[in-house]
Amino acid sequence: MNTIHASTILNIGSTATFVAFPLLYSSTYNGSALTLGLGMGLVLFSMVTPFIALKYRSLKHDH
Amino acid sequence: MEVPITLFTWVAAISPIIVLLALLVYWQWGVAEAAPIGLAVALVAGFTIFDGSLPLLAGELAKGIWGGISVTAVVVPAILIFEVTNEAKAFESFRRGMQQFSPNELLQVLMIGWVFASFLQGVTGFGVPVAIVAPLLVGIGVKRFWAVAVPVIGHAWATTFGTLAVAWEALVLQAALSGDLLLSTAVWAGLFTWAMDLTAGVAICWFYAGRQGVKQGLVAVILISSLHGGGQLILSQFNQVLCNFLVSSAGLILIYLLGKTLYAKPYRFVHSNLMDRSSASGDAEDAPLPLTLHQAFLPYYTLTGVTLFVLLVPPVKQALSFLKVGLPFPETVTGYGFVNPAVALYAPITVFTHAGVFLTLASLVGYYYFKSKHVMRTDSMKRILARTLDKAAPATIAVILLIAMSKVMGGTGQVLVLAEGTARVTGAYYALFAPFIGVLGAFMTSSNMASNILFGSFQQTMADLLNLNPAVILGAQTGGGAIGNVLCPSNVLLGTTTAGILGREGEILKKLIPLGLAVAAACGVIALLFS
């Protein structure tokens, strides 16, 4: 866990939005609850990653 | 049914912006942390108060992510070109070379932070000026904080007619401008952006050395601003597409001549708040460097040359514009009947004329050139890429979430409520607030063009309803859109990313917001008097 960098977590967050994009896009047409839910979930996850990354940055400074 | 415009809905609509600003400016959060909160507030308001359905919100989020991808495609190569130059230790050569251009330190700052930033905005937008110029200013000894603030201020005036007048063209389209109205709107747009340009020059001198700095730089500022703003104003009556590019290019020649004539004597304000005096100098100053100024600047010469060649030579631009990537979006409607029209091709990315491609090409040319000069280590590429990805990470997520926030606000009618609510309350004094509507649009979207798209026809409608001079109101819209580039978190974020001070966006905005609002207020007073 100590080798995970803050930037890795943020890159995971960005990647989550890229993965969410086709799901969100398709849900505007076929309205599938599953794709909509997955897409929204990934966006919500990406919104949390900056705060997770912040924790890793502060852990790094504490050590 | 219409979106209700009440005090409650207006407060709800502005709440994402208030929350974002409070987090950035008051609590000094970084944009990467503040943007998700702003987006969350926009989503909650959009769903609960503005009756946006989940598929509608999904669509707006998708549009936001798409916009973020387009901007990220510029941010990452902008960081890359910096890392290539940094790895070659070319900034030291650049710094010494600038001293030979002119030993007047203030003129060096004006040259890079204002004139060169304006030139870059003249040829390519997308935040490139701020991202490129910030590390160049650090290279000549400007403190990182000011290395970001200065180009943000310096480039903003050029966003209306710059980038081959894309923002202006958007206004022309939205307001269906033609004939005399088009030309008189160009005059007012030119006047308001000239005010921003002059303010930028004076402000940079002031930040450098207070009253003494203004006194020292005043002649240069007046001459350059007359060329920039006055020249643009005149040329806009003949060719709006090229007027900014021509004066911004001429500005480079003028400041070079000033450096060799009126500003040829050494000048340095020792206690300058702008400059970092902590690094040692002396014997190291005389040590020979492996690169000359022009060699160190090669990636940037390449960037400029490629951009000009592709964008200004019509057959080349046409040939390279064959590949456009974009997706259609269906019409969506909120519960209140606010319509997002269907789009055949949303925000298409023209791959081979995208600024990101020019930046990547310039980075590669720079890398191989520096390698041929033996200033790169064997593992340099690995180090460059690792540092680029490391720096790009927070900027990427922040930009995507910020743009998503603006799309959600726009797509659920929140932005319309803000604009119309303001207009209803202001009544006869609407002209005073017209620039602020433009500022709002640019703040939200980090783009003068997008602000004009959002509010161009709205402002024209208000001018007609209230019997105001449409040329003045529309000029104020695009002038406000230019000023909004000074206040917008995305622009500042690009600078803090390449200058290496991520997380300090709030501090910088705290400095810039009063300046931007003051200029907007002055433009508002002028608009009120003449409308």
Side-chain angles (χ1 to χ4, degrees), chain A residues 5-8 10-11 13-14 17-18 20-21 24-25 27-29 31 36 40 43-44 46-51 54 57, chain B residues 29 32-33 36-37 39-40 43 54-55 57-59 61-62 65-66 69 327-330 389-390 393-394 396-397 400-401:
Chain A
H5 297 288
S7 59
T8 309
L10 291 168
N11 279 327
S14 307
T17 64
F18 301 147
F21 176 73
L24 293 166
Y25 178 74
S27 70
T28 65
Y29 280 100
L36 181 63
M40 288 289 206
V43 170
L44 287 170
S46 74
M47 288 161 70
V48 170
T49 52
F51 300 99
L54 206 57
R57 256 184 248 137
Chain B
W29 284 26
E33 291 82 39
I37 307 294
L39 174 59
L43 281 167
L54 287 177
L57 293 175
L61 284 172
I65 293 169
W66 180 253
I69 288 171
L327 290 163
F329 275 82
L389 284 173
D390 196 48
T396 304
I397 190 83
I400 289 170
L401 295 179

Side-chain angles (χ1 to χ4, degrees), chain B residues 209-261:
Chain B
R211 230 177 281 179
Q212 198 196 106
V214 174
K215 205 171 150 189
Q216 170 68 211
L218 194 61
V219 171
V221 166
I222 288 173
L223 287 173
I224 292 166
S225 182
S226 301
L227 174 64
H228 274 175
Q232 180 181 261
L233 181 63
I234 294 168
L235 289 175
S236 72
Q237 298 300 291
F238 304 99
N239 187 320
Q240 294 94 41
V241 173
L242 289 178
C243 60
N244 180 268
F245 168 69
L246 289 171
V247 300
S248 298
S249 306
L252 285 172
I253 299 170
L254 175 59
I255 200 166
Y256 175 80
L257 292 172
L258 286 171
K260 297 296 176 195
T261 54

